[in-house]
Structure formats: C-alpha cells, structure tokens
Amino acid sequence: MSTEPDRWTAVDDYFTGLLAPPDPALTAALQESEAAGLPAINVAPNQGKLLHLLAQLQGAHRILEIGTLGGYSTIWLARALPADGHLLTLEYSPEHAEVARANLARAGLDKITEVRTGPALDSLAALHAESPAPFDLVFIDADKVNNPHYVEWSLKLTRPGSLIVVDNVVRGGHVTDADSDDPAIRGTRAALELIASHPKLDGTAVQTVGTKGYDGFALARVLD
Ligand code: SAH
Ligand code: DHB
Ligand code: MG
C-alpha cells in the first residue's frame, strides 16, 4: 500500500487557505516558537480550527489543555471562549511556557489564559485540590505515556457533557501494536481502552492524514 504525503499536504494547504487562514497572531506564534527552538509539533491549522469549532459547539466557558508548547493550539481554543471564559494550559518546560505566554499576549488572550509549568500530573493534582469549576473541554496533547492518567484526571475535572480530546492516537499506525514496548504507544492504547471501558465515557477515534503525516484524534464525551 502506498501513501501520498505530498497529496495530503496539498489538500491540507487547500483546506487551510480556505477555512483556517493564518492571521498575524497565529503566524507570529509559529515564527517565535521556531526562533526559540521549539519542535514544530503543534496541531496543523485546520486541526486548530477543528478544536476551535469543538469548543464553540460545547459552548465552552472553561478549557483545560495538557501540553502547551508555544501556545498555538491554545490560541485556537482560547479564541472560542467568551470574554469571561478561562483557559488553563499545563506545560512541563518553563522555556516553552515563556514562549507561549508571549504568544498568547500578542494574540490578546493573556487575560483569559493561564500557563502553569511543571509535570502535568503534579499540576493536575494541585488543580484538583483547588476544587475548580468543571472544565467544558479538555485537550490532551503532552507526554503520551501519561495519557491514561490524563484521561482519569480529566474525569475528575469535568462535568457530564464535557468533551475530552486526545491528540496523536494513531502515530503512523503503530497504535495497533498490542505488544509495543514504546511507552507512548502503550499509554495511548491504555487511554483508548479506558475510554472504551469507562462507564462515564463514550468515545471514538478517527484517523487523519495531512501536513502532520498519518495520525488521529480520540474524542470522548463525559456521561452522567
Ligand atoms: N498542544 C500544542 C503541542 C504540544 S507538544 C500545540 O498543538 O500547539 C507537547 C508539549 O507537552 C511539549 O511542549 C512538552 O514540553 C509538553 N510536555 C511533555 N511532557 C509533559 C509533562 N509531563 N507535563 C506537562 N507537559 C509536558
Ligand atoms: C509529537 C507530539 C505531538 O503532540 C504531535 O502532535 C506530534 C508529534 C512528538 O512528540 O513527536
Ligand atoms: Mg499533538
């Protein structure tokens, strides 16, 4: 079976130009991320637009993101919020967080966003201890080995009807390697199996191709 990455990229470029065109804040966020040496593993523009639309469809007032990088996906998500909304994004690297804060400020989103640094498992435990109002949408996009833990924490921090989105669940097809010793694959499979088996979750997963290669998202709705 052959794959056609050039064609995937051409189609993504067409979709993005039509439906998710860049603007100065998004362009600067990617430029500044590259200049600071961050890896170019942000969501694609049309994927960012998908996150934005999902947040709007949720009527989200509160969004939690796990894995900030330079704040590119954060900008797409935060732009879906009302003026009194809030987005909290968790990032291990202080360097990444600094780039993200500058990018969010340039996008005019610093009032409604907060970047917290540290290992997300620690940040999530501390956050839970604050008894925050439930989040309407969680975007999980950090270290894949911890994906099942991030889904578990998401359940504690959301409400019935909330949406959990998990990035990178296909990884070129390696997700089907049941015996993989890659911690990222094991973590992703464990997260998918948790979504499948948990009585408070109903979900699916979809494969994607495009500028980011062959990958996919899982989506789960929190039940009563
Ligand atoms: N959501 C971003 C991309 C995130 S890339 C976007 O689409 O624009 C993954 C990020 O997760 C990296 O910045 C990495 O530093 C961070 N990360 C890795 N392990 C982490 C951990 N244990 N806790 C919090 N963040 C982590
Ligand atoms: C990687 C991480 C991501 O979140 C992503 O969307 C693509 C690649 C990575 O770690 O390689
Ligand atoms: Mg990702």
Side-chain angles (χ1 to χ4, degrees):
M1 186 191 72
S2 68
T3 53
E4 298 183 85
D6 291 348
R7 189 180 293 265
W8 301 344
T9 297
V11 172
D12 254 5
D13 289 348
Y14 172 63
F15 287 166
T16 290
L18 267 181
L19 300 164
D23 59 45
L26 289 168
T27 300
L30 294 180
Q31 281 173 349
E32 293 301 313
S33 296
E34 186 181 3
L38 273 52
I41 56 175
N42 49 275
V43 294
N46 50 343
Q47 296 176 335
K49 182 70 179 282
L50 173 64
L51 294 172
H52 176 86
L53 291 169
L54 289 170
Q56 288 185 323
L57 288 164
Q58 275 300 99
H61 278 71
R62 292 174 53 79
I63 296 174
L64 175 64
E65 179 179 63
I66 307 173
T68 315
L69 193 64
Y72 182 78
S73 55
T74 321
I75 292 173
W76 279 109
L77 285 164
R79 283 179 172 175
L81 288 169
D84 63 346
H86 185 70
L87 183 152
L88 175 61
T89 182
L90 309 179
E91 172 55 50
Y92 176 78
S93 158
E95 292 80 18
H96 294 187
E98 270 316 301
V99 174
R101 288 188 189 105
N103 285 336
L104 290 163
R106 194 183 304 100
L109 296 165
D110 43 331
K111 298 268 192 302
I112 58 167
T113 57
E114 181 189 355
V115 186
R116 289 193 191 179
T117 55
L121 289 180
D122 293 353
S123 301
L124 288 162
L127 176 64
H128 187 248
E130 296 168 16
S131 301
F135 291 90
D136 307 301
L137 187 157
V138 184
F139 179 47
I140 300 175
D141 191 21
D143 51 330
K144 314 309 174 192
V145 63
N146 281 316
N147 274 349
H149 306 300
Y150 295 149
V151 172
E152 293 275 18
W153 277 114
S154 297
L155 276 164
K156 294 184 206 292
L157 292 162
T158 51
R159 55 161 176 87
S162 293
L163 175 66
I164 301 169
V165 181
V166 187
D167 196 19
N168 310 117
V169 300
V170 175
R171 286 300 181 102
H174 294 295
V175 68
T176 55
D177 295 350
D179 302 323
S180 175
D181 50 21
D182 178 346
I185 298 299
R186 295 177 74 88
T188 293
R189 287 178 62 89
L192 290 164
E193 287 157 24
L194 182 61
I195 291 169
S197 63
H198 200 290
K200 289 202 166 179
L201 288 173
D202 189 23
T204 190
V206 290
Q207 305 179 66
T208 58
V209 296
T211 54
K212 295 199 67 183
Y214 172 34
D215 216 321
F217 294 102
L219 292 95
R221 178 176 159 84
V222 179
L223 305 175
D224 291 302

